[in-house]
Amino acid sequence: MNNRRRQQLLQSVAPLLTEGEQVEFTSLAKVGSVSVKRRVLTSALVGVLSAGTVIATVQPRPMYLALTDRQLLFFDAKTTTGRPGELLLAMPRELTSAAPMQKALLGLGLQTVLTVQGQEKGLKLTFPPAGKAAGRDLVSRLAVTA
């Protein structure tokens, strides 16, 4: 993430911070997962409707992340301006842990799964090739799940 986007993200985070809370980490990642079945169905439907002239893919949603000393915040990154959008999710840091990093599709990126104590389902984060170091940095700052 470039410095301009980082500053915009910090401006979005600032009003949400409690007294004494500080931002430790910022990044951009794709959040969630899309099943193979949904990808195939979407591609087939768009192909049929466009008579094969358009190709469509379905991907996890890009989000800006901000890790503070108390919470992990997720902001919409799918805005027309590219600026961080609205706050989509906030997770308490002390209850959040991350699985060890693994290679993503074709080994180009890295992915991890965040879990919150008391929740059954985890949240998958995928970092693109340019964001591998950021992914490793995030995981090193959180508790590790086995």
Side-chain angles (χ1 to χ4, degrees), residues 10-135:
L10 292 174
Q11 288 173 358
S12 296
V13 171
L16 304 171
L17 300 178
T18 59
E19 189 174 328
E21 186 174 9
Q22 295 192 354
V23 176
E24 297 178 359
F25 170 84
T26 59
S27 185
L28 178 69
K30 291 187 178 182
V31 179
S33 59
V34 179
S35 69
V36 173
K37 180 179 177 182
R38 183 168 176 198
R39 288 179 190 213
V40 169
L41 288 174
T42 301
S43 296
L45 180 62
V46 170
V48 168
L49 292 175
S50 68
T53 60
V54 176
I55 297 173
T57 60
V58 182
Q59 296 184 359
R61 185 176 189 163
M63 292 186 197
Y64 290 105
L65 314 175
L67 179 68
T68 72
D69 53 352
R70 299 180 191 161
Q71 59 187 332
L72 178 57
L73 304 166
F74 294 83
F75 291 86
D76 186 15
K78 233 180 163 178
T79 60
T80 56
T81 62
R83 295 177 57 100
E86 66 181 273
L87 176 68
L88 298 175
L89 177 66
M91 301 166 70
R93 182 173 178 166
E94 69 274 0
L95 300 177
T96 304
S97 58
M101 295 298 286
Q102 296 179 344
K103 290 183 179 180
L105 182 66
L106 303 174
L108 299 176
L110 291 176
Q111 65 186 24
T112 186
V113 176
L114 300 180
T115 55
V116 176
Q117 247 178 23
Q119 299 294 318
E120 290 182 25
K121 195 169 183 179
L123 186 63
K124 185 181 196 180
L125 298 181
T126 305
F127 294 89
K132 283 183 178 183

